[in-house]
Amino acid sequence: MSPFLLTRTMPEDTTGADLRADVLNGLTRTPKVLPPKWFYDARGSELFEEITRLPEYYPTRAEREILAARAGEIAAATGARTLVELGSGSSEKTRFLLDALPRLHTYVPVDVSESALTGAAEALLAERPGLDVHALIADFTRGLALPGTPGPRLVAFLGGTVGNLLPAERALFLRSVRDLLEPGDALLLGTDLVKDEEVLVRAYDDAAGVTARFNKNVLSVIARELGADVDPADFDHVAVWDREHEWIEMRLRARSALTVKIRELDLVVPFAAGEEMRTEVSAKFRQEGVRTELAAAGLELSHWWTDGEGRFALSLSTAS
């Protein structure tokens, strides 16, 4: 069997320190905010997988449709021998690319979760014993150093996750990706597209309430990890479309006036009745906007593929 290497590029205690910093900074400002990465403990990851199967939540199906139809074109355009996937998770959709790249030598999944990386690698190596896998435990939003692997390299950032970054954060992220690319390398980027407001809101506020449980899970994470005396039942899930910024905002709204004590931070956080805390931004894109943001980072958009209904897009770009 080909080798499986696992490299940690972030300190063991980074996650706990980051959570404390994000909660302290986010809950002492106005309006209150929490970054969406704290949804994804084991329970949150299970809930998100459930969300991707909901009838209202189209992005996963739409992106999978594009990958199934266009993986061969992506392979032909890139000739990649190394596939780097940012935020790889279970690497489920990646299999379309792995199957389509005839010269692929190495797969480099990047994620903050060691268990997700190990589980995905074991499954992939069982299916593809000739593949080298070099997994990185890393936060790719803080800069990334890639291992020495054969080129050309294809860096994939799927799922529309780039939309969770605010515009300034996206600019820094795209520039950091550009800095990773050598001549002949490429970036494959998944972006959810602007569409009817009702379709968008339903995707983030499903009838079964799964997204509501997913949103509230961040409170359970804070309670468990930081000793917060917070009850998710005291908050309502809210999803709204911001027309000006063309993004969905997920929020948690306090049902009544309450106080949250966070033992590990020695912090007391008051909420007024009806006060909302933002937990996620999910930007939606147009082709020219994606082209402009890529160009500002030093990347040139060369290919653009959408699903049959024009809901989601994959773009391929190279260093300009």
Side-chain angles (χ1 to χ4, degrees):
M1 182 175 290
S2 295
F4 168 49
L5 299 176
L6 182 68
T7 302
R8 178 181 292 274
T9 65
M10 50 191 289
E12 291 276 0
D13 63 346
T14 297
T15 300
D18 284 354
L19 176 61
R20 291 190 292 273
D22 285 343
V23 171
L24 180 62
N25 294 334
L27 298 193
T28 55
R29 56 173 286 184
T30 304
K32 296 179 177 67
V33 299
L34 285 174
K37 65 182 178 181
W38 301 118
F39 291 138
Y40 297 96
D41 63 351
R43 177 57 180 155
S45 296
E46 290 173 358
L47 286 168
F48 183 73
E49 287 300 313
E50 190 175 343
I51 287 170
T52 65
R53 297 188 292 269
L54 293 170
E56 298 96 330
Y57 193 80
Y58 61 85
T60 302
R61 290 189 298 276
E63 186 176 48
R64 187 182 291 113
E65 177 188 322
I66 303 168
L67 286 167
R70 304 293 188 175
E73 294 176 42
I74 295 167
T78 63
R81 299 198 64 214
T82 294
L83 173 62
V84 179
E85 186 178 9
L86 306 179
S88 54
S90 66
S91 303
E92 186 266 330
K93 286 179 291 189
T94 320
R95 286 167 167 78
F96 291 108
L97 296 173
L98 296 173
D99 289 340
L101 290 163
R103 300 174 60 235
L104 189 68
H105 179 276
T106 305
Y107 174 50
V108 183
V110 182
D111 205 283
V112 296
S113 170
E114 180 175 352
S115 60
L117 288 168
T118 302
E122 289 175 351
L124 286 173
L125 288 172
E127 300 166 7
R128 298 167 175 81
L131 183 67
D132 284 359
V133 178
H134 189 153
L136 297 182
I137 305 171
D139 182 348
F140 56 80
T141 64
R142 296 187 170 187
L144 185 65
L146 294 177
T149 58
R153 293 177 301 182
L154 174 60
V155 178
F157 190 32
L158 304 176
T161 309
V162 70
N164 295 146
L165 303 175
L166 295 171
E169 295 170 333
R170 282 203 306 272
L172 288 172
F173 166 74
L174 290 172
R175 188 69 209 186
S176 72
V177 172
R178 163 62 185 87
D179 291 342
L180 292 175
L181 301 184
E182 298 175 356
D185 295 347
L187 167 66
L188 183 68
L189 183 66
T191 47
D192 196 8
L193 302 179
V194 174
K195 58 186 65 66
D196 181 76
E197 177 178 344
E198 184 178 348
V199 173
L200 286 165
V201 172
R202 280 204 310 265
Y204 292 83
D205 193 10
D206 60 276
V210 182
T211 311
R213 294 194 292 276
F214 175 69
N215 193 7
K216 292 183 182 185
N217 188 63
V218 73
L219 301 175
S220 300
V221 171
I222 294 170
R224 182 183 66 246
E225 300 297 331
L226 300 181
D229 64 345
V230 60
D231 186 348
D234 289 336
F235 292 81
D236 288 322
H237 165 68
V238 179
V240 296
W241 173 242
D242 184 321
R243 293 183 183 88
E244 178 185 356
H245 296 102
E246 294 191 322
W247 65 43
I248 286 281
E249 283 196 14
M250 290 210 315
R251 305 170 185 167
L252 290 170
R253 178 187 295 151
R255 291 182 171 178
S256 60
L258 58 93
T259 299
V260 174
K261 298 176 182 178
I262 306 176
R263 185 181 65 248
E264 293 296 320
L265 299 177
D266 193 24
L267 181 66
V268 176
V269 183
F271 283 85
E275 182 178 354
E276 294 181 344
M277 172 173 64
R278 190 180 74 197
T279 53
E280 181 178 88
V281 161
S282 186
K284 309 306 170 185
F285 297 88
R286 302 175 190 270
Q287 182 175 358
E288 284 311 306
V290 173
R291 186 188 303 275
T292 298
E293 291 195 33
L294 289 170
L299 294 160
E300 182 177 357
L301 190 151
S302 60
H303 295 76
W304 178 266
W305 300 282
T306 65
D307 66 290
E309 297 181 39
R311 299 167 296 176
F312 198 93
L314 286 179
S315 61
L316 193 69
S317 57
T318 55
S320 57

